[in-house]
Amino acid sequence: MIRATTNGTLKAYRSSLNRSTLRLNSARNTVLTQRNFNSYAESPAAAAESFQLRRSYLRVSAQLDVSQSVGRKFDTAYSAIDTVVGLVDNNAESSALSAIMSGVSDPTGQGRTALGEQLIQLSDSIIESLNCKHGDQFVFSGADGLTIPFSWEGEGDERQLYFRGYLVDENSDMLKYISEREHRYVDVGIGLEEDENNNLIASSAFDSTLQGIGVLGHGVDENGLPNNIASIVYKMGTILSRCSEDGGAWASEEDQAQFKQLMEKFNDSTSVLKKYHVDMSTKADYLANNHELLENTAYTLNEQILAIEQCDLADAITSFSWAQYCYNAALKVGNGILSETLMDFMNY
């Protein structure tokens, strides 16, 4: 009878001590990890809510990375276009073209050949600006960021401009396709939705493609004159370089007439370029504002996740201290029980 009582007492004590040990370990882990739960089983409802929030947070974080990269790309693009506008704005006294054209309008015509060389150099500067890179990608190369956008081939009057290997100054179906239908859509948090045929809805994503021919123009008009502003400037330069070095006389009446036509086309092209410049500024501002919105969303989601998962450290420490106290008390009670049961066993 005494032995049965002893076994029952020890069993009850072991059960109580195990519960105290588990509570102590749980309280210790809470303090160390500062988490309310470490598995789904510990708190199913909170874990499910946390999972949904973390999935949203990861999606927003990915959108933030894309937004930052695209934003920097558009900032680079805006800076490049800003440089080109500064070079060709003939209404600005500080522009390179304004200084050159003031010499062209000189009634004596002195130095037109030298001004022609400056226009040729100006056309090179325009192309160099549009061949800029962001990271290892060419900014204005459309969807093919690894291929340099523009390149000159040939010399003198035979010199021609190419875009990704295609001749710019001709009415090419391929260039028309590239400028109008080549896109690279990215997710910057707008929505990214598909229609019933699983095709991306363009308005739900951001088109990160920047086409150099969309900025400078391509093709020729009914007179065979180029629409690309760099080509226009180059042709103006070659015409001036043919002028008489003595008095600056035009090489021919045809050159003089063509130069006038090119000047009119140049003015139209600069208007298009300035509009593109404004549009680029608008897009850059949009990306900056959208990025700030995504950052705020990510911050809010993170706060919600922490509110669910992160424990109150002061409460956790208090619980741990109480669990430690209960565990120590259980050990002291155990010392008394073990002594009594040992004596009972020896008497038995």
Side-chain angles (χ1 to χ4, degrees):
M1 183 67 179
I2 295 175
R3 186 169 185 177
T5 302
T6 300
N7 288 337
T9 302
L10 287 174
K11 183 176 181 181
Y13 170 69
R14 283 197 299 268
S15 177
S16 177
L17 183 61
N18 285 336
R19 288 195 298 271
S20 296
T21 302
L22 290 174
R23 284 194 292 267
L24 176 61
N25 289 335
S26 176
R28 180 185 293 110
N29 287 335
T30 299
V31 172
L32 293 176
T33 63
Q34 299 184 25
R35 290 178 56 85
N36 285 323
F37 56 90
N38 290 292
S39 69
Y40 181 85
E42 291 181 26
S43 182
E49 184 178 1
S50 175
F51 173 77
Q52 294 295 335
L53 288 171
R54 282 191 172 275
R55 187 169 64 176
S56 298
Y57 181 80
L58 289 175
R59 182 173 63 251
V60 172
S61 295
Q63 292 167 346
L64 267 171
D65 291 339
V66 173
S67 174
Q68 184 177 55
S69 177
V70 174
R72 288 174 178 173
K73 173 184 175 180
F74 272 70
D75 286 342
T76 302
Y78 176 80
S79 178
I81 296 176
D82 192 60
T83 298
V84 174
V85 169
L87 290 172
V88 303
D89 187 0
N90 57 355
N91 293 322
E93 295 181 359
S94 60
S95 74
L97 185 68
S98 177
I100 293 170
M101 298 319 295
S102 64
V104 173
S105 61
D106 185 350
T108 63
Q110 296 293 330
R112 281 182 179 170
T113 54
L115 295 175
E117 290 300 319
Q118 293 181 46
L119 279 175
I120 291 173
Q121 292 176 13
L122 179 60
S123 68
D124 289 338
S125 297
I126 294 171
I127 294 304
E128 288 173 5
S129 297
L130 268 292
N131 281 345
C132 62
K133 298 179 74 173
H134 171 64
D136 60 351
Q137 300 278 316
F138 289 100
V139 173
F140 290 100
S141 196
D144 184 8
L146 298 178
T147 301
I148 188 170
F150 293 103
S151 60
W152 293 104
E153 294 186 17
E155 298 292 338
D157 291 339
E158 303 300 321
R159 192 186 195 197
Q160 293 181 313
L161 184 63
Y162 288 81
F163 178 80
R164 282 166 42 184
Y166 298 100
L167 184 61
V168 171
D169 300 327
E170 69 173 9
N171 294 324
S172 164
D173 291 339
M174 179 55 71
L175 290 183
K176 181 177 175 62
Y177 174 86
I178 291 175
S179 63
E180 296 180 359
R181 302 185 61 184
E182 190 176 78
H183 306 284
R184 179 181 290 172
Y185 292 106
V186 294
D187 183 11
V188 293
I190 302 175
L192 206 63
E193 298 179 0
E194 296 180 342
D195 60 20
E196 62 276 7
N197 298 318
N198 296 324
N199 295 318
L200 177 68
I201 299 175
S203 60
S204 70
F206 185 84
D207 186 5
S208 65
T209 306
L210 292 171
Q211 301 286 3
I213 51 176
V215 180
L216 301 184
H218 64 94
V220 294
D221 63 14
E222 63 278 5
N223 297 316
L225 297 178
N227 297 324
N228 183 282
I229 192 170
S231 297
I232 292 172
V233 171
Y234 180 78
K235 282 193 172 295
M236 289 166 59
T238 58
I239 290 174
L240 288 179
S241 65
R242 290 197 294 265
C243 290
S244 169
E245 293 187 1
D246 295 333
W250 299 99
S252 66
E253 291 183 359
E254 182 182 355
D255 270 7
Q256 186 176 9
Q258 191 174 87
F259 188 87
K260 183 178 179 181
Q261 289 178 315
L262 287 169
M263 274 300 301
E264 292 175 356
K265 288 186 67 67
F266 173 82
N267 289 331
D268 293 339
S269 297
T270 53
S271 297
V272 173
L273 179 62
K274 289 177 182 178
K275 182 181 182 302
Y276 198 100
H277 186 229
V278 173
D279 291 343
M280 183 61 63
S281 175
T282 302
K283 289 182 178 180
D285 289 341
Y286 166 79
L287 286 169
N289 293 333
N290 183 72
H291 189 78
E292 183 178 356
L293 178 62
L294 287 173
E295 287 182 326
N296 292 336
T297 302
Y299 177 81
T300 300
L301 287 171
N302 188 55
E303 289 293 302
Q304 292 175 329
I305 291 170
L306 291 178
I308 294 173
E309 296 183 357
Q310 193 173 59
C311 69
D312 185 307
L313 191 56
D315 289 344
I317 293 174
T318 300
S319 297
F320 172 70
S321 298
W322 176 249
Q324 181 75 58
Y325 173 79
C326 292
Y327 177 75
N328 291 336
L331 291 179
K332 290 181 180 179
V333 171
N335 289 334
I337 293 175
L338 290 174
S339 297
E340 292 178 4
T341 55
L342 178 60
M343 294 301 298
D344 291 339
F345 178 78
M346 293 177 66
N347 291 333
Y348 178 79

